[in-house]
Amino acid sequence: MSRSHQNAWLSVSSVAVGSFGTVLSEFLPIGLLPSISSDLGVRIATAGLMVVVTGLAAAVAAPVVTVATSGLDRRVVLIGLSAVLVVSDVIAATAGAFAVLLAARVLLGVALGGFWAIGAGIAVRLVDASRTIRATSLITAGISIATVVSLPLGAVVAATSTWRLAFVIGAGIGLVALVLQLLTLPAMPAEQRVRPAALTALFGVPRARIGLLVAALLFAAQFAAYTYISPFLHDVAKVDPDVVSVALLVFGVSGVVGNSAAGVTLHRSVSGTLVAGGIALAAAVALLPLVAHLPVAVFVLLVVWGIVWGGLPLGLQTWMVQATPAGSEAGLAMFVTTIQVALAIGSSLGGVAVAAVGIAVDFQLAAVIALLGTGALVWLGVRTAGSARRGAAAADH
């Protein structure tokens, strides 16, 4: 292994740590809302705003940061976003008022949206073309791991310490990412300016439209169910409280495996990976309530679900990069905006379903949404391919 090859993978790893830190900071406080509510003297519903504002800020920041910084060296931008992550978590950890905490969470949203839009597509600048998907899978592994680790880690923090420790942990990881990036990231001069028109122009690209629609539906499906995975295990599956953390850990490890597996399958077929993943996601969440009385079956389906969700975000990002090869950052910016909005909508729909008809029906709803996303990919993909063939035939004549 050459020194330059080693440096390339160290650079990729530094971005992966950054992606892990931003997403962990986003989700870690979810299990701590009662403590935050009590300590800062606000209603728990009000405390929940700290999760909402982060997602909304990320949805806005992704395209704004992409356009505003498109003329800057990407090394400088990524390091700056990691610094914003550290600052936001430090402010949150020391906040004496809820308004200050909300401001910190808005800052986190800026780091989150910018990092997803720029960091997720940076692998092509760091490694050879033949290793781009593998490098991207490492970066998105940070996202997948943070998503699934946040719940059990939050439970540990809530049981053993103050909620402020969650933000100290986030700041610590952000600081590690910042140092690694300072030491390992090479200069990456801006290749082209991203104009605001490039963002809306994506909707004129059939493949990009398909990617955004499918991403919206699959992320909404995922978070309609995933948001309530702990209550499902507690209240529906009647899993022992001590075993719930183990179940969530199993889900997380499965996600890492799925992310690695997707790095292989995507080389063969991006659309095939997404279709198979969408169907498996729908099947897993639909079957869970039906086998809730069978602990072994529940764990098996959690493994399937974790594997699938470990790979789907990487597959969707790969689709968007391929759909907009001349401006992948614009594509990823709109991708981040889309999934953050879909995440909020999915969680909200899930909450309404759980309150009105129960967790089991919520999981069935999530399965239907996942199937809609998969069906849209198949139907629109076939239509687009047919149009392309007809256009080629017309050109030949």
Side-chain angles (χ1 to χ4, degrees):
M1 180 182 290
S2 67
R3 178 62 181 169
S4 61
H5 186 78
Q6 289 178 330
N7 289 344
W9 285 104
L10 286 173
S11 298
V12 171
S13 299
S14 75
V15 180
V17 175
S19 69
F20 174 76
T22 53
V23 177
L24 185 71
S25 294
E26 179 184 18
F27 291 125
L28 191 55
I30 290 177
L32 302 170
L33 293 182
S35 300
I36 295 171
S37 169
S38 174
D39 193 27
L40 296 182
V42 297
R43 294 181 303 168
I44 193 164
T46 304
L49 288 175
M50 60 182 290
V51 179
V52 176
V53 298
T54 301
L56 293 178
V60 174
V64 171
V65 170
T66 298
V67 172
T69 67
S70 62
L72 300 179
D73 188 303
R74 309 331 272 156
R75 177 181 187 271
V76 173
V77 176
L78 287 173
I79 289 172
L81 291 170
S82 292
V84 172
L85 165 63
V86 174
V87 170
S88 69
D89 277 330
V90 169
I91 294 174
T94 58
F98 186 66
V100 176
L101 182 56
L102 278 186
R105 298 293 289 178
V106 170
L107 268 182
L108 174 64
V110 173
L112 178 70
F115 210 96
W116 271 50
I118 297 171
I122 206 66
V124 69
R125 303 285 301 273
L126 298 175
V127 298
D128 297 336
S130 62
R131 297 183 174 89
T132 297
I133 290 181
R134 181 182 168 196
T136 304
S137 71
L138 178 59
I139 294 171
T140 57
I143 296 171
S144 301
I145 295 169
T147 301
V148 294
V149 164
S150 58
L151 279 178
L153 182 57
V156 171
V157 170
T160 61
S161 185
T162 170
W163 58 268
R164 297 180 188 276
L165 177 61
F167 297 106
V168 173
I169 292 172
I173 295 171
L175 186 59
V176 170
L178 178 60
V179 172
L180 288 174
Q181 288 160 18
L182 283 168
L183 294 175
T184 66
L185 283 181
M188 291 176 281
E191 294 181 324
Q192 61 180 9
R193 294 298 297 263
V194 177
R195 306 294 180 186
L199 302 173
T200 55
L202 288 173
F203 294 103
V205 180
R207 186 173 171 84
R209 284 202 308 269
I210 295 170
L212 293 175
L213 174 61
V214 174
L217 290 168
L218 291 181
F219 267 82
Q222 166 69 11
F223 283 91
Y226 178 72
T227 303
Y228 300 95
I229 188 172
S230 291
F232 167 80
L233 293 171
H234 279 293
D235 304 332
V236 180
K238 306 298 181 184
V239 175
D240 186 274
D242 294 334
V243 181
V244 170
S245 294
V246 176
L248 294 174
L249 180 60
V250 166
F251 184 93
V253 172
S254 301
V256 177
V257 173
N259 186 272
S260 298
V264 175
T265 62
L266 287 167
H267 276 292
R268 300 176 182 174
S269 174
V270 176
S271 58
T273 299
L274 291 177
V275 169
I279 292 172
L281 172 62
V285 297
L287 289 173
L288 272 169
L290 302 179
V291 301
H293 59 292
L294 302 171
V296 173
V298 168
F299 269 76
V300 169
L301 287 174
L302 284 178
V303 169
V304 172
W305 187 1
I307 289 173
V308 168
W309 192 249
L312 275 176
L314 173 60
L316 291 164
Q317 287 177 11
T318 302
W319 179 285
M320 287 304 301
V321 170
Q322 293 179 351
T324 55
S328 61
E329 285 190 1
L332 287 174
M334 293 307 295
F335 174 76
V336 174
T337 296
T338 298
I339 63 176
Q340 287 293 332
V341 172
L343 188 156
I345 292 174
S347 297
S348 300
L349 286 175
V352 172
V354 169
V357 288
I359 292 177
V361 176
D362 170 46
F363 276 39
Q364 304 297 331
L365 172 65
V368 170
I369 297 172
L371 287 177
L372 287 174
T374 308
L377 177 62
V378 173
W379 182 63
L380 292 174
V382 169
R383 283 189 61 189
T384 301
S387 297
R389 285 194 297 269
R390 289 191 295 273
D396 290 339
H397 289 85

